[in-house]
Short mmCIF file of all heavy atoms in Angstrom, two decimals:
data_model
loop_
_atom_site.label_atom_id
_atom_site.label_comp_id
_atom_site.label_asym_id
_atom_site.label_seq_id
_atom_site.Cartn_x
_atom_site.Cartn_y
_atom_site.Cartn_z
N ASN X 580 -26.51 -2.30 8.35
CA ASN X 580 -26.43 -2.92 9.67
C ASN X 580 -25.94 -4.36 9.63
O ASN X 580 -26.45 -5.24 10.33
CB ASN X 580 -27.80 -2.84 10.36
CG ASN X 580 -28.18 -1.39 10.65
OD1 ASN X 580 -27.42 -0.65 11.28
ND2 ASN X 580 -29.34 -0.97 10.16
N LYS X 581 -24.92 -4.58 8.80
CA LYS X 581 -24.34 -5.92 8.70
C LYS X 581 -22.83 -5.86 8.88
O LYS X 581 -22.18 -4.87 8.52
CB LYS X 581 -24.67 -6.55 7.35
CG LYS X 581 -26.15 -6.93 7.21
CD LYS X 581 -26.43 -7.57 5.86
CE LYS X 581 -27.89 -7.95 5.75
NZ LYS X 581 -28.22 -8.53 4.42
N ILE X 582 -22.30 -6.93 9.45
CA ILE X 582 -20.86 -7.05 9.69
C ILE X 582 -20.42 -8.41 9.19
O ILE X 582 -21.09 -9.42 9.40
CB ILE X 582 -20.53 -6.89 11.19
CG1 ILE X 582 -20.85 -5.46 11.66
CG2 ILE X 582 -19.07 -7.20 11.46
CD1 ILE X 582 -20.59 -5.21 13.13
N ILE X 583 -19.26 -8.45 8.53
CA ILE X 583 -18.79 -9.69 7.92
C ILE X 583 -18.30 -10.68 8.98
O ILE X 583 -17.61 -10.33 9.93
CB ILE X 583 -17.67 -9.41 6.90
CG1 ILE X 583 -17.36 -10.67 6.08
CG2 ILE X 583 -16.41 -8.86 7.56
CD1 ILE X 583 -16.45 -10.41 4.88
N THR X 584 -18.74 -11.92 8.83
CA THR X 584 -18.29 -13.01 9.69
C THR X 584 -17.92 -14.18 8.79
O THR X 584 -18.25 -14.22 7.61
CB THR X 584 -19.37 -13.47 10.67
OG1 THR X 584 -20.49 -13.94 9.92
CG2 THR X 584 -19.81 -12.34 11.58
N LYS X 585 -17.25 -15.17 9.34
CA LYS X 585 -16.91 -16.36 8.55
C LYS X 585 -16.62 -17.52 9.48
O LYS X 585 -16.23 -17.35 10.63
CB LYS X 585 -15.70 -16.09 7.67
CG LYS X 585 -14.41 -15.83 8.43
CD LYS X 585 -13.25 -15.60 7.48
CE LYS X 585 -11.96 -15.29 8.26
NZ LYS X 585 -10.82 -15.04 7.39
N LYS X 586 -16.80 -18.72 8.94
CA LYS X 586 -16.46 -19.93 9.69
C LYS X 586 -15.13 -20.48 9.22
O LYS X 586 -14.40 -21.12 9.97
CB LYS X 586 -17.56 -20.98 9.50
CG LYS X 586 -18.90 -20.57 10.10
CD LYS X 586 -19.94 -21.64 9.86
CE LYS X 586 -21.30 -21.25 10.42
NZ LYS X 586 -22.34 -22.27 10.15
N ALA X 587 -14.83 -20.29 7.95
CA ALA X 587 -13.58 -20.74 7.38
C ALA X 587 -13.12 -19.70 6.38
O ALA X 587 -13.84 -18.76 6.06
CB ALA X 587 -13.77 -22.10 6.69
N ARG X 588 -11.92 -19.88 5.85
CA ARG X 588 -11.34 -18.85 5.00
C ARG X 588 -12.22 -18.48 3.82
O ARG X 588 -12.33 -17.32 3.45
CB ARG X 588 -9.97 -19.33 4.48
CG ARG X 588 -9.22 -18.23 3.76
CD ARG X 588 -7.87 -18.68 3.29
NE ARG X 588 -7.98 -19.61 2.17
CZ ARG X 588 -6.94 -20.01 1.45
NH1 ARG X 588 -5.74 -19.61 1.78
NH2 ARG X 588 -7.10 -20.86 0.45
N THR X 589 -12.85 -19.46 3.22
CA THR X 589 -13.64 -19.19 2.02
C THR X 589 -15.15 -19.23 2.29
O THR X 589 -15.94 -19.26 1.36
CB THR X 589 -13.31 -20.20 0.92
OG1 THR X 589 -13.53 -21.53 1.41
CG2 THR X 589 -11.86 -20.07 0.49
N ASP X 590 -15.52 -19.22 3.56
CA ASP X 590 -16.94 -19.27 3.91
C ASP X 590 -17.31 -17.95 4.58
O ASP X 590 -17.33 -17.84 5.80
CB ASP X 590 -17.21 -20.46 4.83
CG ASP X 590 -18.69 -20.57 5.20
OD1 ASP X 590 -19.52 -19.95 4.51
OD2 ASP X 590 -19.01 -21.26 6.18
N MET X 591 -17.59 -16.96 3.75
CA MET X 591 -17.85 -15.62 4.27
C MET X 591 -19.35 -15.33 4.28
O MET X 591 -20.10 -15.77 3.41
CB MET X 591 -17.18 -14.58 3.38
CG MET X 591 -15.68 -14.74 3.25
SD MET X 591 -14.84 -14.28 4.77
CE MET X 591 -13.13 -14.42 4.23
N SER X 592 -19.78 -14.56 5.27
CA SER X 592 -21.17 -14.12 5.30
C SER X 592 -21.24 -12.81 6.07
O SER X 592 -20.35 -12.49 6.86
CB SER X 592 -22.06 -15.17 5.96
OG SER X 592 -21.66 -15.39 7.30
N PHE X 593 -22.29 -12.07 5.82
CA PHE X 593 -22.52 -10.80 6.51
C PHE X 593 -23.73 -10.97 7.43
O PHE X 593 -24.82 -11.27 6.96
CB PHE X 593 -22.76 -9.68 5.51
CG PHE X 593 -21.54 -9.24 4.77
CD1 PHE X 593 -21.05 -9.99 3.71
CD2 PHE X 593 -20.85 -8.10 5.14
CE1 PHE X 593 -19.91 -9.59 3.02
CE2 PHE X 593 -19.72 -7.69 4.46
CZ PHE X 593 -19.25 -8.44 3.39
N ASN X 594 -23.52 -10.79 8.72
CA ASN X 594 -24.59 -10.99 9.69
C ASN X 594 -25.12 -9.66 10.22
O ASN X 594 -24.39 -8.68 10.35
CB ASN X 594 -24.09 -11.83 10.87
CG ASN X 594 -23.97 -13.30 10.49
OD1 ASN X 594 -24.40 -13.71 9.42
ND2 ASN X 594 -23.37 -14.07 11.37
N SER X 595 -26.40 -9.65 10.55
CA SER X 595 -27.05 -8.47 11.09
C SER X 595 -26.50 -8.12 12.46
O SER X 595 -26.07 -8.99 13.23
CB SER X 595 -28.56 -8.73 11.18
OG SER X 595 -29.18 -7.71 11.93
N THR X 596 -26.53 -6.82 12.77
CA THR X 596 -26.12 -6.36 14.10
C THR X 596 -27.29 -6.33 15.08
O THR X 596 -27.16 -5.82 16.19
CB THR X 596 -25.52 -4.94 14.00
OG1 THR X 596 -26.50 -4.06 13.42
CG2 THR X 596 -24.27 -4.93 13.14
N ASP X 597 -28.43 -6.89 14.70
CA ASP X 597 -29.63 -6.85 15.56
C ASP X 597 -29.37 -7.44 16.94
O ASP X 597 -29.82 -6.90 17.95
CB ASP X 597 -30.79 -7.58 14.89
CG ASP X 597 -31.37 -6.80 13.72
OD1 ASP X 597 -31.00 -5.62 13.55
OD2 ASP X 597 -32.19 -7.37 12.97
N SER X 598 -28.64 -8.54 16.99
CA SER X 598 -28.39 -9.18 18.29
C SER X 598 -27.49 -8.30 19.16
O SER X 598 -27.65 -8.25 20.39
CB SER X 598 -27.76 -10.56 18.10
OG SER X 598 -26.51 -10.46 17.43
N ASP X 599 -26.54 -7.58 18.52
CA ASP X 599 -25.68 -6.66 19.27
C ASP X 599 -26.51 -5.50 19.83
O ASP X 599 -26.32 -5.08 20.98
CB ASP X 599 -24.58 -6.11 18.37
CG ASP X 599 -23.63 -7.19 17.90
OD1 ASP X 599 -23.11 -7.93 18.75
OD2 ASP X 599 -23.40 -7.29 16.68
N ILE X 600 -27.42 -4.98 19.02
CA ILE X 600 -28.28 -3.88 19.46
C ILE X 600 -29.17 -4.32 20.62
O ILE X 600 -29.34 -3.59 21.61
CB ILE X 600 -29.11 -3.36 18.27
CG1 ILE X 600 -28.19 -2.73 17.23
CG2 ILE X 600 -30.17 -2.37 18.75
CD1 ILE X 600 -28.88 -2.40 15.92
N ALA X 601 -29.71 -5.52 20.52
CA ALA X 601 -30.56 -6.04 21.59
C ALA X 601 -29.77 -6.18 22.89
O ALA X 601 -30.28 -5.86 23.98
CB ALA X 601 -31.15 -7.39 21.18
N GLN X 602 -28.51 -6.65 22.78
CA GLN X 602 -27.67 -6.79 23.97
C GLN X 602 -27.38 -5.43 24.60
O GLN X 602 -27.42 -5.27 25.83
CB GLN X 602 -26.37 -7.49 23.59
CG GLN X 602 -25.38 -7.65 24.73
CD GLN X 602 -25.91 -8.54 25.84
OE1 GLN X 602 -25.88 -9.75 25.75
NE2 GLN X 602 -26.42 -7.93 26.91
N ILE X 603 -27.08 -4.44 23.76
CA ILE X 603 -26.81 -3.09 24.26
C ILE X 603 -28.02 -2.55 25.02
O ILE X 603 -27.91 -2.01 26.13
CB ILE X 603 -26.44 -2.15 23.09
CG1 ILE X 603 -25.07 -2.55 22.53
CG2 ILE X 603 -26.43 -0.69 23.55
CD1 ILE X 603 -24.73 -1.86 21.22
N LYS X 604 -29.20 -2.71 24.45
CA LYS X 604 -30.42 -2.21 25.09
C LYS X 604 -30.71 -2.93 26.40
O LYS X 604 -31.21 -2.32 27.37
CB LYS X 604 -31.59 -2.34 24.12
CG LYS X 604 -31.50 -1.37 22.93
CD LYS X 604 -32.69 -1.51 22.00
CE LYS X 604 -32.63 -0.47 20.88
NZ LYS X 604 -33.76 -0.60 19.93
N GLU X 605 -30.39 -4.19 26.45
CA GLU X 605 -30.60 -4.96 27.69
C GLU X 605 -29.69 -4.42 28.79
O GLU X 605 -30.13 -4.25 29.94
CB GLU X 605 -30.30 -6.43 27.42
CG GLU X 605 -30.54 -7.34 28.62
CD GLU X 605 -30.24 -8.80 28.32
OE1 GLU X 605 -30.49 -9.22 27.17
OE2 GLU X 605 -29.74 -9.50 29.22
N TRP X 606 -28.44 -4.15 28.46
CA TRP X 606 -27.52 -3.59 29.44
C TRP X 606 -27.99 -2.20 29.89
O TRP X 606 -27.94 -1.88 31.08
CB TRP X 606 -26.11 -3.49 28.86
CG TRP X 606 -25.36 -4.79 28.80
CD1 TRP X 606 -25.42 -5.81 29.70
CD2 TRP X 606 -24.43 -5.20 27.79
NE1 TRP X 606 -24.59 -6.84 29.33
CE2 TRP X 606 -23.96 -6.48 28.16
CE3 TRP X 606 -23.95 -4.63 26.63
CZ2 TRP X 606 -23.03 -7.18 27.40
CZ3 TRP X 606 -23.02 -5.31 25.87
CH2 TRP X 606 -22.57 -6.58 26.25
N GLN X 607 -28.40 -1.40 28.93
CA GLN X 607 -28.85 -0.04 29.27
C GLN X 607 -30.09 -0.08 30.16
O GLN X 607 -30.23 0.73 31.09
CB GLN X 607 -29.14 0.75 27.98
CG GLN X 607 -27.87 1.08 27.19
CD GLN X 607 -28.17 1.63 25.81
OE1 GLN X 607 -29.20 1.30 25.21
NE2 GLN X 607 -27.27 2.44 25.27
N LYS X 608 -30.98 -1.01 29.90
CA LYS X 608 -32.19 -1.15 30.71
C LYS X 608 -31.83 -1.48 32.16
O LYS X 608 -32.54 -1.09 33.10
CB LYS X 608 -33.07 -2.24 30.12
CG LYS X 608 -34.44 -2.35 30.77
CD LYS X 608 -35.29 -3.39 30.07
CE LYS X 608 -36.67 -3.51 30.71
NZ LYS X 608 -37.51 -4.54 30.02
N ALA X 609 -30.68 -2.18 32.31
CA ALA X 609 -30.23 -2.53 33.65
C ALA X 609 -29.43 -1.41 34.31
O ALA X 609 -28.89 -1.59 35.42
CB ALA X 609 -29.39 -3.81 33.59
N GLY X 610 -29.30 -0.28 33.63
CA GLY X 610 -28.66 0.87 34.23
C GLY X 610 -27.21 1.09 33.84
O GLY X 610 -26.53 1.94 34.44
N HIS X 611 -26.71 0.36 32.85
CA HIS X 611 -25.31 0.49 32.43
C HIS X 611 -25.17 1.44 31.23
O HIS X 611 -26.05 1.50 30.38
CB HIS X 611 -24.74 -0.87 32.04
CG HIS X 611 -24.89 -1.92 33.08
ND1 HIS X 611 -24.16 -1.93 34.25
CD2 HIS X 611 -25.69 -3.03 33.14
CE1 HIS X 611 -24.49 -2.98 34.98
NE2 HIS X 611 -25.43 -3.66 34.32
N LYS X 612 -24.04 2.13 31.18
CA LYS X 612 -23.64 2.86 30.00
C LYS X 612 -22.83 1.91 29.11
O LYS X 612 -22.04 1.11 29.62
CB LYS X 612 -22.80 4.08 30.35
CG LYS X 612 -23.56 5.16 31.13
CD LYS X 612 -24.57 5.86 30.23
CE LYS X 612 -25.21 7.03 30.96
NZ LYS X 612 -26.19 7.74 30.10
N VAL X 613 -23.02 2.03 27.79
CA VAL X 613 -22.34 1.11 26.87
C VAL X 613 -21.52 1.89 25.85
O VAL X 613 -22.07 2.72 25.10
CB VAL X 613 -23.34 0.19 26.14
CG1 VAL X 613 -22.59 -0.77 25.21
CG2 VAL X 613 -24.19 -0.58 27.14
N ALA X 614 -20.23 1.63 25.84
CA ALA X 614 -19.34 2.19 24.83
C ALA X 614 -18.96 1.07 23.86
O ALA X 614 -18.39 0.05 24.27
CB ALA X 614 -18.08 2.77 25.47
N VAL X 615 -19.29 1.25 22.59
CA VAL X 615 -18.94 0.26 21.57
C VAL X 615 -17.60 0.62 20.95
O VAL X 615 -17.37 1.78 20.57
CB VAL X 615 -20.03 0.19 20.47
CG1 VAL X 615 -19.55 -0.68 19.30
CG2 VAL X 615 -21.32 -0.37 21.05
N VAL X 616 -16.72 -0.36 20.86
CA VAL X 616 -15.46 -0.22 20.12
C VAL X 616 -15.57 -1.11 18.91
O VAL X 616 -15.71 -2.34 19.04
CB VAL X 616 -14.24 -0.61 20.99
CG1 VAL X 616 -12.96 -0.55 20.16
CG2 VAL X 616 -14.13 0.30 22.20
N LEU X 617 -15.52 -0.52 17.73
CA LEU X 617 -15.71 -1.28 16.49
C LEU X 617 -14.36 -1.56 15.84
O LEU X 617 -13.59 -0.65 15.54
CB LEU X 617 -16.60 -0.50 15.52
CG LEU X 617 -16.97 -1.24 14.22
CD1 LEU X 617 -17.90 -2.41 14.52
CD2 LEU X 617 -17.61 -0.28 13.21
N ILE X 618 -14.10 -2.84 15.60
CA ILE X 618 -12.92 -3.28 14.85
C ILE X 618 -13.37 -3.49 13.41
O ILE X 618 -14.20 -4.36 13.13
CB ILE X 618 -12.35 -4.59 15.43
CG1 ILE X 618 -12.05 -4.43 16.93
CG2 ILE X 618 -11.11 -5.03 14.66
CD1 ILE X 618 -11.01 -3.38 17.26
N THR X 619 -12.83 -2.70 12.50
CA THR X 619 -13.33 -2.75 11.13
C THR X 619 -12.27 -2.29 10.13
O THR X 619 -11.42 -1.45 10.46
CB THR X 619 -14.59 -1.88 10.98
OG1 THR X 619 -15.07 -1.95 9.64
CG2 THR X 619 -14.31 -0.42 11.34
N GLY X 620 -12.37 -2.82 8.94
CA GLY X 620 -11.47 -2.41 7.86
C GLY X 620 -12.08 -1.40 6.94
O GLY X 620 -11.49 -1.09 5.90
N ARG X 621 -13.23 -0.85 7.31
CA ARG X 621 -13.90 0.13 6.44
C ARG X 621 -15.04 0.78 7.21
O ARG X 621 -15.54 0.22 8.20
CB ARG X 621 -14.47 -0.57 5.20
CG ARG X 621 -15.37 -1.75 5.55
CD ARG X 621 -15.75 -2.54 4.33
NE ARG X 621 -16.03 -3.94 4.64
CZ ARG X 621 -16.18 -4.89 3.74
NH1 ARG X 621 -16.11 -4.61 2.46
NH2 ARG X 621 -16.40 -6.14 4.10
N PRO X 622 -15.52 1.93 6.75
CA PRO X 622 -16.74 2.50 7.33
C PRO X 622 -17.91 1.59 6.98
O PRO X 622 -18.00 1.09 5.86
CB PRO X 622 -16.88 3.85 6.63
CG PRO X 622 -15.56 4.12 6.01
CD PRO X 622 -14.96 2.79 5.71
N LEU X 623 -18.78 1.36 7.93
CA LEU X 623 -19.91 0.46 7.71
C LEU X 623 -21.24 1.19 7.94
O LEU X 623 -21.34 2.01 8.86
CB LEU X 623 -19.83 -0.73 8.66
CG LEU X 623 -18.69 -1.72 8.43
CD1 LEU X 623 -18.59 -2.70 9.60
CD2 LEU X 623 -18.89 -2.49 7.13
N PRO X 624 -22.25 0.91 7.15
CA PRO X 624 -23.56 1.53 7.36
C PRO X 624 -24.32 0.85 8.50
O PRO X 624 -25.29 0.13 8.29
CB PRO X 624 -24.25 1.31 6.01
CG PRO X 624 -23.65 0.07 5.46
CD PRO X 624 -22.22 0.05 5.94
N VAL X 625 -23.83 1.08 9.72
CA VAL X 625 -24.41 0.46 10.92
C VAL X 625 -25.04 1.55 11.80
O VAL X 625 -24.79 1.61 13.01
CB VAL X 625 -23.34 -0.35 11.69
CG1 VAL X 625 -22.96 -1.61 10.94
CG2 VAL X 625 -22.10 0.52 11.98
N THR X 626 -25.84 2.37 11.19
CA THR X 626 -26.42 3.52 11.89
C THR X 626 -27.23 3.10 13.11
O THR X 626 -27.16 3.75 14.17
CB THR X 626 -27.29 4.33 10.92
OG1 THR X 626 -26.48 4.76 9.81
CG2 THR X 626 -27.89 5.55 11.60
N SER X 627 -27.98 2.03 13.00
CA SER X 627 -28.79 1.57 14.14
C SER X 627 -27.91 1.18 15.32
O SER X 627 -28.25 1.44 16.48
CB SER X 627 -29.66 0.38 13.72
OG SER X 627 -30.59 0.76 12.74
N LEU X 628 -26.76 0.57 15.04
CA LEU X 628 -25.81 0.18 16.09
C LEU X 628 -25.22 1.43 16.75
O LEU X 628 -25.12 1.50 17.99
CB LEU X 628 -24.71 -0.69 15.50
CG LEU X 628 -23.63 -1.19 16.45
CD1 LEU X 628 -24.21 -2.14 17.49
CD2 LEU X 628 -22.50 -1.89 15.68
N ILE X 629 -24.85 2.40 15.94
CA ILE X 629 -24.29 3.64 16.48
C ILE X 629 -25.33 4.37 17.34
O ILE X 629 -25.03 4.87 18.43
CB ILE X 629 -23.78 4.53 15.34
CG1 ILE X 629 -22.61 3.85 14.61
CG2 ILE X 629 -23.35 5.90 15.87
CD1 ILE X 629 -22.15 4.56 13.35
N ASN X 630 -26.56 4.42 16.84
CA ASN X 630 -27.62 5.09 17.59
C ASN X 630 -27.89 4.41 18.94
O ASN X 630 -28.21 5.07 19.93
CB ASN X 630 -28.91 5.10 16.77
CG ASN X 630 -28.86 6.07 15.60
OD1 ASN X 630 -28.03 6.97 15.59
ND2 ASN X 630 -29.72 5.87 14.62
N ALA X 631 -27.73 3.11 18.99
CA ALA X 631 -28.02 2.37 20.22
C ALA X 631 -26.98 2.61 21.30
O ALA X 631 -27.29 2.60 22.49
CB ALA X 631 -28.13 0.87 19.91
N ALA X 632 -25.73 2.84 20.90
CA ALA X 632 -24.63 2.96 21.86
C ALA X 632 -24.63 4.32 22.53
O ALA X 632 -25.07 5.33 21.97
CB ALA X 632 -23.31 2.73 21.15
N ASP X 633 -24.08 4.37 23.75
CA ASP X 633 -23.88 5.64 24.45
C ASP X 633 -22.60 6.33 23.97
O ASP X 633 -22.50 7.55 24.01
CB ASP X 633 -23.81 5.41 25.96
CG ASP X 633 -25.11 4.83 26.50
OD1 ASP X 633 -26.15 5.50 26.39
OD2 ASP X 633 -25.08 3.69 27.01
N ALA X 634 -21.64 5.53 23.57
CA ALA X 634 -20.41 6.05 22.97
C ALA X 634 -20.00 5.07 21.88
O ALA X 634 -20.26 3.86 21.98
CB ALA X 634 -19.30 6.18 24.00
N PHE X 635 -19.37 5.61 20.83
CA PHE X 635 -19.00 4.75 19.70
C PHE X 635 -17.61 5.15 19.22
O PHE X 635 -17.36 6.29 18.84
CB PHE X 635 -20.01 4.89 18.56
CG PHE X 635 -19.97 3.75 17.57
CD1 PHE X 635 -20.78 2.64 17.74
CD2 PHE X 635 -19.14 3.80 16.46
CE1 PHE X 635 -20.75 1.58 16.83
CE2 PHE X 635 -19.09 2.76 15.55
CZ PHE X 635 -19.90 1.65 15.73
N VAL X 636 -16.72 4.17 19.26
CA VAL X 636 -15.31 4.39 18.92
C VAL X 636 -14.91 3.46 17.79
O VAL X 636 -15.13 2.25 17.86
CB VAL X 636 -14.41 4.14 20.15
CG1 VAL X 636 -12.95 4.38 19.80
CG2 VAL X 636 -14.85 4.99 21.33
#
Side-chain angles (χ1 to χ4, degrees):
N580 295 306
K581 290 181 179 177
I582 294 179
I583 190 170
T584 61
K585 65 179 178 181
K586 295 179 181 178
R588 188 178 71 171
T589 57
D590 181 17
M591 302 288 186
S592 61
F593 287 79
N594 285 351
S595 169
T596 58
D597 287 351
S598 61
D599 295 308
I600 294 170
Q602 178 63 81
I603 291 169
K604 290 181 176 179
E605 182 180 325
W606 283 325
Q607 291 169 331
K608 187 177 180 180
H611 306 288
K612 294 289 186 180
V613 181
V615 171
V616 176
L617 185 68
I618 305 298
T619 181
R621 54 188 153 191
L623 292 169
V625 289
T626 302
S627 296
L628 180 65
I629 295 172
N630 288 341
D633 297 299
F635 199 91
V636 180

